Amino acid sequence: MATTNTDALPSVLRGGEDFAPPTVSQSRVASIDIFRGLTILVMIFVNDLAGVKGLPWWTYHLPGNVNGMTYVDMVFPFFLFIVGISMPLAVRHRLSKNGSIASLWRHIIARSFALVVLGIALANGEKADALRTGVNGNVWLLLTLVGAILFWNVYPRSAKYRTLFKGMKAAGLLLMVAMFAIFRRTGTDGRAAWLDISYWEILGLIGWTYLAVSILYIPTRRWRWAPLAWLVCLVALNAASIAHWITFSAKLPYYFWPWNTGCSVCSPWPASSPRRSS
């Protein structure tokens, strides 16, 4: 059920300063928000259970060589499904505010990049060498995430505190850059090494998937048959990759071929949005 706020949201008065909310009017789909919240709740729950021994088998991920899955294995596909369901709504909303396709792509690339950066940070937190980095891995990750929050936070529009907010964003960016610059881990050869980007964590994978789906969806969003056609192509790519009929898709780096073997991109494929007049 969709809930639409058509009236401007009230401003919040703090110390005589009028803080206008970042978005004064927007549409949200309650079912998607609820599903997203439940998925995050399950993710936190199963992450805590991962370190507990002696629980029933269905409370853990199934091994990769087992043909099956548990509810734990569904958390990541649920996130991808949410990305796909939300994309037509988000694209339509952004284009209604600013019809520039260039602006839309800047937003998509920036958001994808942010997710990949957060994924890299999360994946490397436990690998940090405290002696080489200068701080404990947990402290490094905490400081990196604090910098990310300061930099990517959406601050209220306020003429009085505009300089402060810009300073906080600049401080967050500098903190992230500094943390990535000092990071060191011990490589397989025993020597100091920088970030390990062989795995992007779930956030990074969602970022690459978001970019990959956007590349296919946005140019063809007005064609109702396009989502089904792309879905068939991606399923065929995945089947051919699993059968080892083709091997290039799994070997190419994400920044060159973000579709990988097609498996991640199939899950979040967006539903066809209603055709709009030009």
Side-chain angles (χ1 to χ4, degrees):
M1 177 180 179
T3 57
T4 305
N5 299 324
T6 56
D7 298 329
L9 297 175
S11 299
V12 180
L13 295 177
R14 296 177 182 171
E17 176 67 14
D18 189 4
F19 283 84
T23 305
V24 297
S25 178
Q26 75 179 58
S27 289
R28 300 204 61 90
V29 179
S31 58
I32 296 179
D33 288 339
I34 293 171
F35 187 43
R36 183 184 292 112
L38 290 174
T39 301
I40 293 174
L41 177 64
V42 174
M43 178 189 70
I44 296 172
F45 177 69
V46 299
N47 282 348
D48 286 341
L49 288 185
V52 180
K53 306 298 182 182
L55 297 177
W57 62 270
W58 48 266
T59 58
Y60 305 105
H61 285 290
L62 281 186
N65 58 353
V66 176
N67 187 16
M69 62 195 316
T70 67
Y71 80 97
V72 181
D73 299 306
M74 293 300 297
V75 172
F76 182 46
F78 283 164
F79 271 116
L80 297 184
F81 179 78
I82 293 169
V83 171
I85 287 294
S86 303
M87 182 171 293
L89 305 174
V91 168
R92 192 186 318 154
H93 176 67
R94 183 160 289 273
L95 288 178
S96 68
K97 295 194 304 180
N98 181 355
S100 170
I101 292 295
S103 175
L104 174 63
W105 277 112
R106 286 194 297 268
H107 172 76
I108 290 172
I109 293 172
R111 176 164 290 188
S112 300
F113 178 75
L115 288 169
V116 170
V117 169
L118 290 173
I120 291 175
L122 291 173
N124 283 271
E126 296 181 352
K127 301 176 182 179
D129 187 319
L131 294 178
R132 290 188 167 108
T133 303
V135 293
N136 177 272
N138 292 329
V139 175
W140 177 87
L141 180 58
L142 176 62
L143 292 175
T144 303
L145 294 179
V146 168
I149 293 172
L150 290 174
F151 180 61
W152 280 306
N153 183 41
V154 179
Y155 296 95
R157 290 190 293 269
S158 167
K160 181 178 180 180
Y161 294 102
R162 182 180 304 163
T163 302
L164 173 62
F165 294 152
K166 287 184 177 180
M168 292 171 67
K169 289 180 72 71
L173 178 60
L174 290 175
L175 180 58
M176 275 197 299
V177 171
M179 289 300 101
F180 281 121
I182 68 173
F183 179 87
R184 293 295 183 274
R185 61 184 174 87
T186 303
T188 55
D189 57 358
R191 298 180 180 180
W194 199 44
L195 296 166
D196 180 7
I197 59 172
S198 60
Y199 180 58
W200 312 90
E201 277 290 348
I202 286 181
L203 283 181
L205 293 175
I206 291 175
W208 285 116
T209 302
Y210 175 59
L211 177 62
V213 173
S214 297
I215 292 173
L216 299 180
Y217 170 70
I218 292 176
T220 61
R221 67 189 184 280
R222 296 183 183 275
W223 303 335
R224 289 185 179 275
W225 52 266
L228 180 59
W230 285 125
L231 179 62
V232 170
C233 291
L234 292 168
V235 170
L237 171 63
N238 183 245
S241 299
I242 296 298
H244 300 292
W245 295 341
I246 59 175
T247 58
F248 75 90
S249 59
K251 296 179 179 179
L252 293 175
Y254 273 93
Y255 55 81
F256 184 80
W257 182 262
W259 300 276
N260 195 248
T261 60
C263 56
S264 296
V265 192
C266 290
S267 300
W269 193 257
S272 179
S273 56
R275 186 183 300 273
R276 294 183 301 161
S277 57
S278 301

